[in-house]
Amino acid sequence: MTDAVKRDSRSNSGRGQARTRLARRAVIEAARTLFLERGYATTTIETISEHSDVPSATVYRLFSSKLGILKALLDTSIAGDDKPLAVPERPDVASMFAEPDPRKLLAGFAGITTAINQRTNDVYHVLVSAAGSDPGAAELLGELRHQRDQGQGQIARALARARALKPGLRERDAADLIHALMSPEVYRLLVADRRWTPERYQQWLAATLTQQLT
């Protein structure tokens, strides 16, 4: 294969990948709008295809099913982008576990949690509603809660290893407190229902985590 052919092949591959990313983004954004406006159960792939201007066959090829679209929507909302990198592996999150000051560590995770909840609040509500009648959505909700539990458990573990937990507070109990305080349900109660600003929620979360854990 000549150098020119190799360059053309790479160029075509790059254009194909760009088109795929654009199609995925269009489908995800159309699904977000439709799920919020019409609900998960009544939204069809055909409707998503029409609103995203992406052929149904392509939608199926990219996501396999409507549940696959919802999962991709959640993943990109949680991460803030479409990069294939899990939240715990992202530099801003991973670096927090190296923070020696427990107050700064908890304040940092309060900020990360606030940003994630801001991005996922409405989509998470769609998932919870769908889980009541759709077994696939219920399984996805269970997976999401398990991932959150695993990630937040690392915070309790880091505090325990640094001997920063309040005297008498076990690591397991600390993990339970973190799980409750950082939950999307508490965010929704305070920000969506009680009209707190995200900034006020973040300050409250950082202060309450510090008070309860250290």
Side-chain angles (χ1 to χ4, degrees):
M1 183 181 294
T2 67
D3 289 343
V5 172
K6 289 180 180 178
R7 286 195 296 271
D8 287 344
S9 177
R10 287 195 295 268
S11 177
N12 289 334
S13 175
R15 285 195 293 270
Q17 291 174 0
R19 285 195 297 269
T20 297
R21 285 196 298 270
L22 289 173
R24 284 182 60 87
R25 193 172 300 132
V27 170
I28 288 171
E29 288 308 310
R32 178 191 293 275
T33 299
L34 291 166
F35 289 160
L36 294 177
E37 289 180 352
R38 306 183 184 187
Y40 177 78
T42 58
T43 299
T44 65
I45 284 188
E46 288 67 30
T47 307
I48 295 172
S49 167
E50 179 182 346
H51 280 70
S52 64
D53 199 26
V54 176
S56 295
T58 301
V59 176
Y60 278 107
R61 178 174 60 81
L62 293 174
F63 300 96
S64 299
S65 64
K66 186 170 70 170
L67 185 65
I69 298 174
L70 178 58
K71 184 179 186 306
L73 173 56
L74 282 162
D75 288 344
T76 56
S77 297
I78 291 169
D81 56 46
D82 57 1
K83 296 178 182 177
L85 190 63
V87 170
E89 298 170 359
R90 289 174 176 260
D92 60 331
V93 177
S95 65
M96 288 308 307
F97 289 107
E99 172 55 57
D101 186 334
R103 291 177 179 269
K104 290 182 180 179
L105 181 148
L106 292 172
F109 278 111
I112 291 168
T113 298
T114 301
I116 290 175
N117 281 326
Q118 280 184 273
R119 293 192 298 265
T120 61
N121 179 48
D122 289 340
V123 180
Y124 183 78
H125 188 61
V126 168
L127 175 61
V128 171
S129 298
S133 57
D134 186 297
E139 184 176 350
L140 179 57
L141 178 60
E143 291 174 4
L144 185 63
R145 285 174 171 166
H146 176 71
Q147 291 170 6
R148 183 164 63 86
D149 187 49
Q150 293 291 105
Q152 292 171 349
Q154 293 182 45
I155 302 174
R157 195 170 304 116
L159 292 171
R161 287 175 176 172
R163 299 187 178 182
L165 288 177
K166 184 180 294 187
L169 182 63
R170 298 180 304 172
E171 180 182 327
R172 174 57 190 269
D173 294 333
D176 289 344
L177 290 171
I178 293 168
H179 184 76
L181 291 170
M182 295 174 70
S183 70
E185 288 80 10
V186 169
Y187 177 88
R188 188 171 186 85
L189 282 170
L190 294 176
V191 177
D193 295 352
R194 304 306 298 177
R195 305 300 182 191
W196 282 25
T197 64
E199 292 75 19
R200 181 183 178 188
Y201 164 83
Q202 180 176 335
Q203 292 171 0
W204 168 84
L205 180 60
T208 305
L209 286 169
T210 299
Q211 180 187 47
Q212 292 293 317
L213 299 172
T214 64

